[in-house]
Amino acid sequence: MYEQVSHTLLNEILNQIKPEISRQDLRHFYTRLGANFYGIYSLFEKLYGQRDDFDAQAQKLVETMARKYIKRSDKLKQLDIDREKDYNWFLSPKWVGMALYSDGFSGDLNGLKSRLSYFQELGVNLLHIMPILRCPQGASDGGYAVSDFRQIDSRIGTLEDLHHLSEEMQDREILLTLDIVLNHTSDEHEWAKKARMGDPVYQDYYYIFKNRNVPEMFESSMPEIFPETAPGNFTWDNEMGQWVMTVFHNYQWDLNYTNPAVFIEMLDIILFWANQGADILRLDAVAFLWKKIGSVCQNEREAHLILQLLKDCCQVTCPGVLFIAEAIVAPVEVIKYFGEDAIIAKECEIAYNATFMALMWDAVATKNAKLLTQGIKSLPVKLDRATWLNYIRCHDDIGLGFDDLDIALAGYDPANHRKFILDYFTGTYQESHARGIPFGQNDKTGDARISGSLASLIGLQYAVELGDEEAIDNAIQSILLLHSLICSFGGLPLLYYGDEIGTMNDTNYLNEPEKQNDSRWAHRPTIDWEKAERRHIPGTVEFKLFSAIKRMIAIRKEIDVFADFNNRELIDSDNPHLFIFGRYNIVKPTEQVLVIANFDLKPQALDMQDVQEWARGHRGDLVDLYSGQQPDIYDNTLVIPPLTFYWLQEI
Ligand code: GLC
């Protein structure tokens, strides 16, 4: 869009641009800058326009983008152009991801490189390698307390190792996802150290206060994120003799985005990792980026403006790179992280579908899909060119982030129901086989979350310990049922490392002082490669899981209607144990797949009348695309075996 004020400023910026920049071939850069500048200017002005140094900061912003464009390799520049042309590339069902800690998976980055064929064997072609940046030995929050944003933790490898890994991944067509911890730094980061020494420039990078007055104003409306280990939202720093905002742990200092220098630093870091070959950047804790007295300091409008501005700037320098929003917030809020536009994602193209994740766990505990169906009904429709990241487990705890209203509509009392789910997964409910561990218990609010690996939460650990074959089979079926949903729901399925072979809770964290109070370490495993080898031995748990998930992935990739074009229709039936939705081709609606999941331990019946409308009158025979079998239909009633899913298509 041509707009005079912003373009006058752009011309002034370009006139003053340093000769070492203007001498370069910047044709594509300038085209994109011109196309995006109105947006960039408007956002930058909205956030920082009141400052005296606004023009100088705007100059710096453009130069930062230009410098990083110059450093971007020709290969990556070509990839940008290819992806601009094929702009829906990431909505294809061909992508299946896995998140992993490289040290836990394979020791280090070189180890990971030597194990890339494992992912290809399974069909995984997108890796989210959990934080790899330099962080303190103990106080690291699993890598999310970064002390140097441009260096790799020496225990994991070097920049060169990452370079080799990313080249090898590109050759094998595996996408690389890296974390950008936008919201905070470690207190051992150089900026924090300088702030601590009294440097006002760097004190301005954080929220630092001489006394408790302002902190108390903030805290009166801010929730606590880690109430057990890090109560409150501010920490007294003895050396500095001041209070610093620390929303997460006391060693994670929140960055102050009211300062444009912080914004430009973090943009530079994002572009740095884009240039290292990352295809996707996972933006950590994005809901927290803006703090305002009197608010919960999450999901603030300015947090969205910052993300929009980051996206616009990346569209100029590295348009092929996608963002994942890690915003574990209420459904009506999470949807906003795609950006509020008619069609295109203006903030992050991908967002964690924490609602779906928590709802699936609810269905596991209740053995019915009442709340799951209700919760998905309330999930707002997302933009067309944006997609969900669907997952069952990740490195974090499970929060029961669904709505009280939905719980009530599903027929439960919200408080009792939440308590039941927590009791169920932490094993205090008598009939439960789950081996979860409470996390983040807040005695003031009664809130709590759940840690534990998929296998332990679903009852596989219990069943194996008891040698109960039937319970083992049920646990395996449940694990596959959940995977079938993330593979078919619409969006990018993100598996969690170890789940494909039934990895159980790892209690070693209890012996390490820095970890023992954080139960999330129970599900950040070190892969047992002898166990993984059993995936080749028929009859073993590992074989049953790995081969079934592998098959599921291979089939997903062949089902065109599993591409994510908002082409899902939720179906209500009279049977509460069933979760049912249809996927269809938006251009050819008769091309459709009906997904049915039975969460119960008994076979369940579906009156075909309930799905007739969706099937638009077709009455051909049905086949399950996963098993290749025709399901049992008796007297116009479809029977779904216990803990079973169907991907049904008409033949
Ligand atoms: C994100 C990470 C989590 C971390 C937090 C603070 O939510 O997923 O592991 O503790 O951010 O960085």
Side-chain angles (χ1 to χ4, degrees):
M1 171 178 182
Y2 181 72
E3 190 276 337
Q4 294 179 348
V5 179
S6 61
H7 280 258
T8 306
L9 179 68
L10 179 57
N11 281 329
E12 279 166 20
I13 290 174
L14 296 181
N15 281 338
Q16 287 175 44
I17 216 144
K18 306 241 166 26
E20 77 267 21
I21 298 178
S22 58
R23 271 199 301 270
Q24 307 281 333
D25 171 12
L26 297 176
R27 187 170 70 91
H28 288 296
F29 176 81
Y30 284 139
T31 317
R32 293 179 190 137
L33 184 63
N36 281 290
F37 196 71
Y38 172 60
I40 292 176
Y41 167 82
S42 310
L43 290 162
F44 202 64
E45 207 263 342
K46 181 131 201 110
L47 287 162
Y48 307 115
Q50 76 291 2
R51 293 176 57 112
D52 293 343
D53 62 349
F54 174 73
D55 285 359
Q57 295 288 358
Q59 180 83 31
K60 208 167 159 210
L61 182 74
V62 172
E63 286 184 5
T64 301
M65 289 188 268
R67 278 184 212 286
K68 282 293 186 285
Y69 178 80
I70 292 164
K71 286 233 164 100
R72 194 156 174 80
S73 70
D74 289 343
K75 200 168 160 186
L76 292 175
K77 282 179 180 159
Q78 187 54 49
L79 200 61
D80 289 333
I81 292 168
D82 295 346
R83 287 181 180 166
E84 275 177 329
K85 284 190 197 136
D86 182 19
Y87 48 81
N88 281 335
W89 66 275
F90 61 101
L91 304 176
S92 155
K94 84 179 226 192
W95 303 113
V96 176
M98 180 181 276
L100 54 88
Y101 270 107
S102 56
D103 50 349
F105 187 79
S106 48
D108 57 17
L109 294 177
N110 285 331
L112 186 57
K113 183 153 93 43
S114 68
R115 291 215 183 262
L116 287 178
S117 55
Y118 181 80
F119 305 110
Q120 289 176 298
E121 185 187 335
L122 187 59
V124 160
N125 51 10
L126 179 159
L127 294 186
H128 168 209
I129 308 177
M130 306 283 297
I132 55 173
L133 300 191
R134 189 166 288 172
C135 59
Q137 186 89 39
S140 75
D141 189 23
Y144 288 99
V146 177
S147 54
D148 189 331
F149 284 113
R150 287 187 180 78
Q151 290 297 330
I152 293 182
D153 188 324
S154 56
R155 290 163 287 186
I156 296 173
T158 61
L159 269 177
E160 219 191 325
D161 295 340
L162 182 75
H163 177 70
H164 293 315
L165 174 65
S166 93
E167 297 251 291
E168 184 70 33
M169 285 172 66
Q170 272 165 27
D171 288 349
R172 295 177 189 236
E173 285 191 76
I174 302 176
L175 302 179
L176 172 64
T177 304
L178 295 177
D179 276 274
I180 303 286
V181 186
L182 278 181
N183 179 66
H184 43 258
T185 73
S186 154
D187 63 347
E188 292 187 29
H189 191 283
E190 192 199 343
W191 303 336
K193 285 185 182 161
K194 287 184 177 159
R196 199 177 262 138
M197 300 292 285
D199 185 335
V201 170
Y202 289 95
Q203 291 200 340
D204 219 21
Y205 273 41
Y206 300 97
Y207 295 92
I208 290 174
F209 303 97
K210 291 197 169 34
N211 56 42
R212 287 280 305 159
N213 291 338
V214 179
E216 266 169 32
M217 293 287 290
F218 269 113
E219 279 183 341
S220 64
S221 54
M222 288 171 89
E224 294 173 313
I225 307 301
F226 296 134
E228 298 159 306
T229 48
N233 286 281
F234 287 83
T235 300
W236 173 255
D237 188 80
N238 247 338
E239 249 175 282
M240 189 165 58
Q242 302 207 56
W243 290 93
V244 56
M245 186 185 281
T246 54
V247 169
F248 291 90
H249 291 100
N250 55 10
Y251 52 80
Q252 287 164 306
W253 289 19
D254 285 66
L255 284 165
N256 174 6
Y257 278 90
T258 65
N259 178 356
V262 168
F263 179 88
I264 294 172
E265 293 265 23
M266 295 313 288
L267 172 67
D268 196 45
I269 287 160
I270 285 182
L271 298 176
F272 174 82
W273 288 105
N275 282 355
Q276 301 304 313
D279 299 282
I280 304 177
L281 295 169
R282 173 192 181 275
L283 306 185
D284 183 63
V286 286
F288 295 84
L289 292 181
W290 197 269
K291 320 297 196 290
K292 220 180 256 170
I293 285 177
S295 78
V296 289
C297 297
Q298 289 180 39
N299 306 315
E300 287 299 317
R301 178 167 150 68
E302 289 83 351
H304 288 286
L305 300 183
I306 287 170
L307 291 169
Q308 284 164 25
L309 185 53
L310 288 172
K311 178 85 273 180
D312 277 352
C313 294
C314 285
Q315 297 289 23
V316 176
T317 302
C318 54
V321 173
L322 305 181
F323 287 170
I324 300 179
E326 193 254 345
I328 311 302
V329 294
V332 287
E333 293 296 340
V334 75
I335 205 89
K336 297 181 189 160
Y337 289 89
F338 293 126
E340 292 175 269
D341 183 70
I343 297 171
I344 305 167
K346 290 279 190 193
E347 292 184 22
C348 301
E349 291 85 354
I350 308 172
Y352 275 76
N353 198 348
T355 309
F356 185 40
M357 179 277 298
L359 289 167
M360 284 193 289
W361 283 107
D362 187 275
V364 167
T366 57
K367 314 226 171 345
N368 73 62
K370 284 195 279 185
L371 183 54
L372 173 55
T373 303
Q374 177 56 41
I376 294 302
K377 253 186 223 165
S378 305
L379 190 67
V381 176
K382 60 166 185 56
L383 301 177
D384 283 354
R385 264 159 65 190
T387 198
W388 291 116
L389 189 157
N390 295 315
Y391 65 112
I392 307 163
R393 288 300 293 116
C394 71
H395 69 292
D396 279 332
D397 47 289
I398 301 172
L400 307 182
F402 26 74
D403 239 302
D404 275 357
L405 184 64
D406 284 331
I407 305 182
L409 286 171
Y412 307 112
D413 169 71
N416 286 342
H417 189 69
R418 286 180 191 282
K419 183 169 180 328
F420 161 71
I421 300 291
L422 288 171
D423 288 350
Y424 184 92
F425 285 114
T426 52
T428 50
Y429 181 73
Q430 237 200 338
E431 282 161 46
S432 160
H433 296 171
R435 290 281 171 81
I437 307 152
F439 177 78
Q441 267 176 314
N442 188 334
D443 295 336
K444 286 172 245 166
T445 61
D447 186 35
R449 284 115 73 188
I450 302 153
S451 284
S453 76
L454 170 55
S456 297
L457 288 168
I458 211 93
L460 185 60
Q461 183 178 349
Y462 162 92
V464 167
E465 279 171 15
L466 245 74
D468 179 336
E469 287 302 327
E470 193 188 333
I472 293 177
D473 279 347
N474 284 343
I476 291 174
Q477 284 288 108
S478 302
I479 291 175
L480 299 180
L481 182 75
L482 295 175
H483 280 89
S484 80
L485 291 177
I486 62 167
C487 283
S488 60
F489 186 77
L492 192 72
L494 188 74
L495 281 63
Y496 187 60
Y497 78 122
D499 287 349
E500 74 289 1
I501 49 168
T503 301
M504 298 178 189
N505 286 350
D506 179 350
T507 50
N508 279 320
Y509 78 100
L510 293 169
N511 307 322
E512 293 183 52
E514 320 83 46
K515 294 184 179 168
Q516 60 191 193
N517 293 320
D518 187 339
S519 59
R520 292 176 301 173
W521 288 102
H523 57 258
R524 295 172 179 175
T526 300
I527 294 298
D528 172 352
W529 284 99
E530 266 175 40
K531 178 177 166 64
E533 276 306 302
R534 289 204 288 274
R535 72 187 186 277
H536 300 302
I537 307 174
T540 61
V541 167
E542 294 78 9
F543 175 87
K544 288 182 187 165
L545 284 173
F546 192 94
S547 55
I549 294 173
K550 173 178 168 167
R551 181 182 171 83
M552 210 181 285
I553 291 174
I555 292 170
R556 164 190 154 90
K557 292 183 181 177
E558 298 299 317
I559 301 180
D560 289 344
V561 297
F562 283 177
D564 188 15
F565 291 105
N566 282 340
N567 47 341
R568 179 185 53 250
E569 200 174 312
L570 196 67
I571 297 170
D572 258 326
S573 82
D574 284 338
N575 189 330
H577 298 288
L578 303 177
F579 181 53
I580 313 171
F581 57 86
R583 303 295 316 274
Y584 57 91
N585 183 327
I586 37 172
V587 194
K588 241 194 317 163
T590 48
E591 201 180 303
Q592 41 191 244
V593 172
L594 186 66
V595 176
I596 308 177
N598 174 9
F599 279 91
D600 197 38
L601 288 164
K602 296 204 179 73
Q604 292 296 326
L606 172 67
D607 185 342
M608 290 302 281
Q609 211 56 43
D610 288 350
V611 291
Q612 219 57 286
E613 196 187 318
W614 181 82
R616 287 170 186 100
H618 293 267
R619 279 163 192 272
D621 282 338
L622 295 172
V623 66
D624 170 31
L625 295 175
Y626 173 75
S627 63
Q629 307 288 314
Q630 286 191 235
D632 293 324
I633 299 183
Y634 178 74
D635 197 14
N636 213 30
T637 299
L638 174 71
V639 176
I640 304 105
L643 303 173
T644 293
F645 71 92
Y646 281 146
W647 290 348
L648 296 178
Q649 195 174 50
E650 216 167 58
I651 40 173

